[in-house]
Amino acid sequence: MADALSEAGASNVVLIGCHGFTSLEDLPAVRQNLTRLREVLTDVGVWGIPADRVEVLDQPPSEGQVVAAVKRAATAATDTLVVYYAGHGLLDPEDSNELYLALPESRTDDHHIDSAIRYDTLRRYVRSSSAKRKVVLLDCCYSARAMAGAMGGGAANLVHKADVEGTCLIAAARETALALAVPGEDFTAFTGALLECLEKGVDGPQELLSMSLLYDAMRSRLKAASRPEPQMNSRNAAAQICIARNRAYVSHRPSPLPARRERPAVTDLLAHDPGSDLEASLVRVLAGTGEVAGGGFLVSPDVVCTCAYVVQRALGEPGHAEQVPDGLVTIDFPLLDDRPRAQASITSWHAGDEKNVALLRLGAQVAGTRPVPLVDESGVWGHSCRAFGYPAGTDHGQWVAGILRARQGSGLLQMEADASGPSIGPGYAGSPVWDDSLGGVVGMTVAVDRRGHTVYLLPSSDLVDGNTLCPPCPFPGLAPFSETQAHAFHGREADINLVYATVRQRPSTLLVGPSGCGKTSLLRAAVLPLLRANGLGVTPLTPVEPLAVALARVLTQGQGGGVAERPPSAEEVRGLMKADSDVSTDLADRILGRLDGAGHILCIDQLEEYTSQDPESVRDLFRLVDRLSQANRGHLLRIVAAGRPEVLDILPDSGPPVVQFLAPLHTDDLKRAIAAPLARVPTLRFERGLPDRILVDVGEAPGRMPLVQLVLTELWYRRTPSALTHDAYDSCGGVGGAFAVHAEEAFQRLSEEERDRVRRLLVHLTRPGDGDAFVCRPVRTRELTPEHVVTARKLAGERLVVLSRSSNGVRQDDEIVELAHQALTRQWPRLREWLNESREARLWHEALRLQHERWERQQRAPSHLLRGWELAEAQRRLAADPETISADELDYILRSSARSARSARRARWWRTTFWTLAVLAAAAGAAVLQLVI
């Protein structure tokens, strides 16, 4: 059991970080580690330690300063002492078990380490503290060495001391492993996971975050992202130290299954109450005499589910007959205004004792009705529930409450009705039973005991069949969502409202985000339907015709204007787009007069395709729409466009669009995007825990949105009659396996020349990791040849790579290319073979990259140029495979070669001078000797 939260006023924290080094690689993310950790730990919602009890050492210049700070904190803390270090971990060349923590001036060679802190020194001050609890967090390479050699001679001794002294140590990497600081990310990998757990909390019933819970959550996140796994050494009480509240803790947690959602026609996308589905779906099945034969409910917009014997009773058929009765069944909706009535035909029939159910199809959907969600009946023991039936004398209906039990041997689900309420009788046959915890129908009433309090339900998974209800797949795979799939598009509600409001108010809107983040889906499945529903005309444009031709076509199809007012031709529109002056009133009237109603929207998807072909026309179109807007305040003609970050480079100086950046979905929103579409499909559900498993496997990959939809589509086609299952997920290899199959299929569609470029590019986007693993390496487009940039853009269309813009990038060559998911390096056999073949070359290339970066950090000092065998190897590899060398690396090699050549010439000159002088001296000596003689 977790300890109580450490007393903030009696605890002390020391945060040590080194991000800039004279001889080692810089780690810029470490500075942000320190800033954010201090903010989080002093937040009263997390721990709330007073700011004056947190000492931050940013770039400490000496060991003495660090030791003094740790000593002060160790002396002052009586409850908990926390010591954190982020920077480089170094190993003693003479004793690899000895860990050193680097300082800004640290240096290392083959024999010793200068200007670094021996970890064992810090350990002694931590150990001597009078604090009851101690926590050490090491975010550096080889940090698990602190467990093997520090704290007193060996791992076994450490475990013993952890028990006695209450010390918990969490290290960022194993004894032989490197920690990770990904270029462009705000925090190092280990600290980023730590901050995420502290800020967002960890799902579960724990109100506090113990160190063991915190460690498990961090390890899960880092492992899912294929990043170095942290290590923890503590036992018993030390593992239960708590320095943070769990922000994900909820005292009465909601159901993990999402409630079904309807999308309104306008912008209020969050107002639907799923509990109202039950009332809007309830049906009375009526006999020819008008009496109520039983209940029923909608399982799709036009299909009613009820008992077969209820239908037989309504049609006057004998209850023992198994053949399908003839005739139409009359139903009404008793809880809707005016009780609308309809007739339905029998479309599915099972009249046996084990499964007694009938499905009735309406001629059309009844206004105001909604189908009810069906939920999994497993694990419902003790859930409260309710049902609505029609006992004798209460044709208007009556509610009952109860408690769910579990399935019986017969397969029926048992429910115990509340003994203090009405008893349940035949009038409840066919009635749905609503599970209050899960927010859906768990089964249908088919039988009841004589007392009327033990009720038997046909479980939801047995209610409907796939032949009657064969819904289309709600997942689009790697394709974007379309307008017809608007009902299945979830998770982007806030973005939808923001973009929609901007489009309504401004002449032009540009939606920008990395490939695979869902720009196209948001436009097609959400924004465009809302625009149409509010009376706006919409014309989607694709890059198959010039913009001027497309705009002229829109104006030609317009309904406004008189007969004499012919629409502008493509040439006139092109000339108008090129004009620098304001649009004349006559011309504005001539164009805008053809657009009736609330206005017209040009929707340009994949704007980067237009900008690559004719960027000037794109600028001209934005300028034209802005000028038309100034001529007519009604914004009758507007633009909404979506594109990758490179489109920002072509925006006009005058009349630029409002730019909305679309970030990848947050995990909670992504979980809703996974689960909500299936909640609308009768009889189908996810097996418990499967959405969470998908989320863990996909991790924080840059291209995770399409990958999730890809694996969901695969699960759909491997589904059982009632569920998307873990077995199906295993059989397709999970997210990585499904993606690897797609990658191979995409590769097979390429030409031989394209295949060779793909091989070179994908190998370049990785670097060797621990053991035989490979790690994704983001690369800037300026490091690639023009041919490889073209290949990257093609692979982005196949979702194999992701193109994004760096946080401070202002030019197109600041774009970043990276593999869509780490799983490709493990589960795509072809790429795995390429990587194994190139391991030696990739190791050399990584070493070259580090040497080049060191040279740049040292202001291009000649002493850091290549020389000797390193230069010879670089020249050999450059001659053998020049395409793998970036322009900056090529410049580095050439400068090294030039310096080497100059040095060689200088050496030859000195040798020649020396021997010349020597010969002259010898000759002069001989002459002198001859004169003397």
Side-chain angles (χ1 to χ4, degrees):
M1 181 176 179
D3 286 352
L5 184 67
S6 294
E7 184 180 347
S11 301
N12 282 71
V13 176
V14 183
L15 303 178
I16 310 162
C18 298
H19 51 81
F21 301 87
T22 56
S23 298
L24 305 173
E25 182 180 4
D26 288 343
L27 302 171
V30 168
R31 171 175 285 179
Q32 292 160 240
N33 286 0
L34 298 176
T35 302
R36 190 61 188 144
L37 263 177
R38 184 180 186 277
E39 293 173 351
V40 170
L41 293 176
T42 56
D43 185 341
V44 293
V46 179
W47 187 9
I49 187 169
D52 60 0
R53 301 189 76 93
V54 180
E55 186 166 359
V56 178
L57 300 181
D58 185 3
Q59 292 291 91
S62 67
E63 176 181 356
Q65 184 179 356
V66 175
V67 168
V70 173
K71 186 176 179 180
R72 283 193 298 271
T75 303
T78 57
D79 190 301
T80 301
L81 171 66
V82 179
V83 177
Y84 164 92
Y85 170 83
H88 284 294
L90 306 174
L91 297 182
D92 188 335
E94 303 295 334
D95 181 3
S96 60
N97 281 329
E98 194 70 61
L99 175 67
Y100 284 78
L101 308 180
L103 296 175
E105 300 296 327
S106 293
R107 300 175 184 275
T108 181
D109 58 28
D110 293 339
H111 301 289
H112 64 282
I113 296 173
D114 288 334
S115 302
I117 308 172
R118 185 168 173 255
Y119 174 72
D120 194 51
T121 301
L122 290 189
R123 186 269 310 169
R124 288 199 297 269
Y125 288 105
V126 172
R127 180 181 177 186
S128 65
S129 173
S130 58
K132 293 182 292 185
R133 309 173 182 91
K134 295 111 176 175
V135 174
V136 179
L137 303 170
L138 295 180
D139 189 355
C140 61
C141 301
Y142 319 119
S143 47
R145 296 279 177 173
M147 301 176 182
M151 286 196 176
N157 193 28
L158 170 65
V159 171
H160 171 70
K161 291 182 181 297
D163 286 341
V164 175
E165 300 168 9
T167 301
C168 177
L169 187 150
I170 301 181
R174 295 194 300 272
E175 295 93 329
T176 59
L178 302 177
L180 183 63
V182 180
E185 292 193 1
D186 291 339
F187 310 105
T188 58
F190 173 84
T191 302
L194 171 63
L195 287 168
E196 182 180 4
C197 294
L198 292 175
E199 293 182 88
K200 299 178 182 178
V202 177
D203 286 339
Q206 298 85 358
E207 189 172 358
L208 300 176
L209 289 180
S210 67
M211 298 311 297
S212 61
L213 180 62
L214 189 61
Y215 167 73
D216 289 342
M218 292 169 60
R219 182 174 179 272
S220 175
R221 285 164 168 76
L222 290 166
K223 185 176 180 180
S226 300
R227 296 184 170 185
E229 293 183 35
Q231 308 292 305
M232 185 174 84
N233 207 326
S234 66
R235 296 179 65 186
N236 300 333
Q240 302 308 322
I241 298 172
C242 296
I243 60 170
R245 299 174 178 86
N246 185 5
R247 279 187 157 171
Y249 171 75
V250 179
S251 57
H252 299 288
R253 301 185 63 80
S255 162
L257 295 180
R260 188 172 69 83
R261 298 175 52 80
E262 297 286 340
R263 183 180 299 286
V266 290
T267 58
D268 185 10
L269 300 171
L270 301 172
H272 175 60
D273 174 17
S276 65
D277 286 342
L278 178 60
E279 297 180 13
S281 73
L282 289 173
V283 162
R284 291 191 307 180
V285 180
L286 304 175
T289 60
E291 296 179 349
V292 178
F297 54 102
L298 286 173
V299 291
S300 81
D302 63 345
V303 174
V304 172
C305 179
T306 186
C307 292
Y309 65 79
V310 169
V311 174
Q312 291 170 328
R313 188 184 306 159
L315 296 177
E317 297 284 341
H320 60 274
E322 294 189 2
Q323 66 273 18
V324 181
D326 293 327
L328 296 177
V329 181
T330 301
I331 64 160
D332 71 0
F333 295 86
L335 298 186
L336 296 184
D337 293 340
D338 301 326
R339 293 187 180 180
R341 181 173 292 203
Q343 289 192 316
S345 58
I346 301 170
T347 187
S348 177
W349 184 260
H350 297 276
D353 293 333
E354 294 184 356
K355 184 175 182 179
N356 194 283
V357 60
L359 299 181
L360 314 176
R361 189 175 297 279
L362 303 172
Q365 183 177 359
V366 176
T369 63
R370 285 195 301 274
V372 74
L374 303 179
V375 296
D376 181 13
E377 74 280 358
S378 61
V380 297
W381 183 281
H383 287 193
S384 63
C385 61
R386 49 184 145 146
F388 189 79
Y390 313 95
T394 56
D395 289 353
H396 54 281
Q398 188 175 64
W399 288 101
V400 294
I403 298 295
L404 291 169
R405 298 308 182 199
R407 280 203 190 215
Q408 292 189 317
S410 64
L412 297 180
L413 182 66
Q414 185 175 327
M415 164 190 165
E416 296 296 330
D418 187 348
S420 63
S423 61
I424 296 180
Y428 284 84
S431 294
V433 175
W434 179 272
D435 185 313
D436 292 321
S437 298
L438 298 181
V441 167
V442 73
M444 178 179 70
T445 304
V446 293
V448 64
D449 72 349
R450 293 181 180 179
R451 297 181 300 108
H453 289 292
T454 300
V455 187
Y456 303 98
L457 319 177
L458 189 64
S460 58
S461 57
D462 296 335
L463 291 180
V464 298
D465 61 69
N467 294 325
T468 303
L469 298 175
C470 188
C473 177
F475 311 112
L478 288 174
F481 283 87
S482 66
E483 286 194 58
T484 60
Q485 294 173 304
H487 62 281
F489 184 70
H490 294 265
R492 287 283 188 190
E493 282 75 14
D495 295 312
I496 294 169
N497 287 335
L498 182 60
V499 174
Y500 175 77
T502 305
V503 174
R504 291 299 304 267
Q505 297 168 9
R506 302 299 294 269
S508 55
T509 304
L510 176 59
L511 186 62
V512 175
S515 54
C517 72
K519 304 180 297 294
T520 299
S521 295
L522 189 147
L523 283 184
R524 293 184 184 178
V527 176
L528 295 193
L530 290 176
L531 293 170
R532 294 187 197 276
N534 284 273
L536 288 133
V538 177
T539 300
L541 302 184
T542 52
V544 295
E545 58 183 350
L547 285 172
V549 175
L551 181 55
R553 175 171 53 81
V554 172
L555 296 174
T556 300
Q557 296 169 352
Q559 301 300 313
V563 175
E565 294 179 0
R566 65 174 181 81
S569 66
E571 286 302 319
E572 289 176 310
V573 171
R574 189 176 290 110
L576 182 60
M577 289 168 59
K578 291 288 185 184
D580 292 329
S581 59
D582 292 338
V583 180
S584 68
T585 302
D586 291 342
L587 189 53
D589 291 342
R590 182 178 166 192
I591 293 176
L592 299 176
R594 304 197 61 80
L595 303 174
D596 287 340
H600 201 89
I601 307 293
L602 297 179
C603 178
I604 309 175
D605 189 22
Q606 297 179 339
L607 185 64
E608 64 272 4
E609 297 296 329
Y610 274 113
T611 60
S612 65
Q613 299 171 17
D614 189 3
E616 197 57 41
S617 289
V618 176
R619 295 188 189 97
D620 292 340
L621 181 61
F622 281 125
R623 293 190 192 103
L624 173 62
V625 170
D626 182 65
R627 285 180 285 153
L628 288 172
S629 173
Q630 295 175 13
N632 183 289
R633 297 299 178 187
H635 299 325
L636 284 181
L637 183 63
R638 279 165 279 188
I639 297 174
V640 57
R644 294 197 299 258
E646 70 253 32
V647 302
L648 296 173
D649 298 312
I650 59 87
L651 296 185
D653 296 330
S654 61
V658 176
V659 178
Q660 301 281 6
F661 290 94
L662 189 65
L665 274 182
H666 184 273
T667 299
D668 292 340
D669 293 329
L670 181 56
K671 186 173 183 178
R672 188 162 73 253
I674 291 173
L678 200 65
R680 298 177 56 96
V681 181
T683 78
L684 272 181
R685 55 182 172 80
F686 283 103
E687 280 191 343
R688 193 175 301 277
L690 184 54
D692 291 317
R693 186 179 174 192
I694 295 172
L695 285 173
V696 169
D697 287 350
V698 79
E700 298 294 331
R704 66 179 185 169
M705 283 292 298
L707 305 191
V708 166
Q709 294 298 331
L710 174 65
V711 76
L712 289 174
T713 303
E714 189 66 30
L715 291 176
W716 173 268
Y717 290 112
R718 297 173 185 240
R719 68 190 186 275
T720 69
S722 62
L724 274 60
T725 66
H726 286 279
D727 285 344
Y729 188 70
D730 292 334
S731 69
C732 71
V735 172
F739 192 32
V741 170
H742 163 71
E744 181 62 26
E745 292 172 350
F747 180 80
Q748 293 297 335
R749 294 192 291 267
L750 300 173
S751 65
E752 286 299 324
E753 182 180 5
E754 290 174 323
R755 291 181 182 185
D756 183 62
R757 289 178 182 169
V758 166
R759 178 183 65 80
R760 291 174 177 271
L761 174 64
L762 296 187
V763 168
H764 195 62
L765 296 180
T766 67
R767 62 177 176 82
D770 297 341
D772 62 350
F774 285 82
V775 179
C776 296
R777 183 175 79 90
V779 173
R780 295 182 186 275
T781 50
R782 66 168 177 251
E783 298 180 33
L784 304 174
T785 64
E787 293 80 8
H788 284 154
V789 173
V790 172
T791 301
R793 300 201 186 288
K794 182 164 186 174
L795 293 185
E798 295 284 359
R799 309 302 194 191
L800 297 183
V801 303
V802 173
L803 292 169
S804 59
R805 180 68 61 97
S806 63
S807 59
N808 59 350
V810 294
R811 306 179 332 187
Q812 185 166 338
D813 61 5
D814 281 314
E815 270 193 295
I816 294 174
V817 187
E818 54 188 316
L819 279 176
H821 200 279
Q822 179 74 37
L824 282 181
T825 66
R826 300 188 303 269
Q827 293 180 260
W828 186 13
R830 185 180 299 278
L831 178 57
R832 185 72 189 175
E833 181 181 354
W834 291 341
L835 295 177
N836 288 332
E837 291 173 352
S838 66
R839 173 175 284 276
E840 180 184 354
R842 294 305 303 139
L843 286 170
W844 171 82
H845 205 153
E846 278 300 298
L848 175 67
R849 183 176 65 84
L850 293 175
Q851 288 172 304
H852 171 258
E853 290 177 355
R854 182 180 62 180
W855 175 64
E856 292 283 4
R857 287 196 307 272
Q858 299 300 322
Q859 288 77 46
R860 300 192 169 196
S863 60
H864 288 285
L865 289 169
L866 299 173
R867 64 185 69 189
W869 69 268
E870 290 180 335
L871 176 58
E873 181 67 9
Q875 292 170 332
R876 183 185 71 81
R877 291 187 181 272
L878 175 61
D881 195 3
E883 287 190 11
T884 62
I885 308 297
S886 71
D888 290 342
E889 292 164 349
L890 174 62
D891 177 66
Y892 179 56
I893 295 173
L894 293 178
R895 286 176 183 267
S896 299
S897 299
R899 182 178 185 274
S900 177
R902 287 194 301 271
S903 298
R905 288 195 299 271
R906 190 179 302 113
R908 286 195 300 271
W909 184 86
W910 278 113
R911 284 196 301 271
T912 301
T913 300
F914 172 80
W915 287 113
T916 300
L917 292 174
V919 169
L920 291 175
V928 170
L929 180 62
Q930 187 174 13
L931 288 174
V932 171
I933 295 174

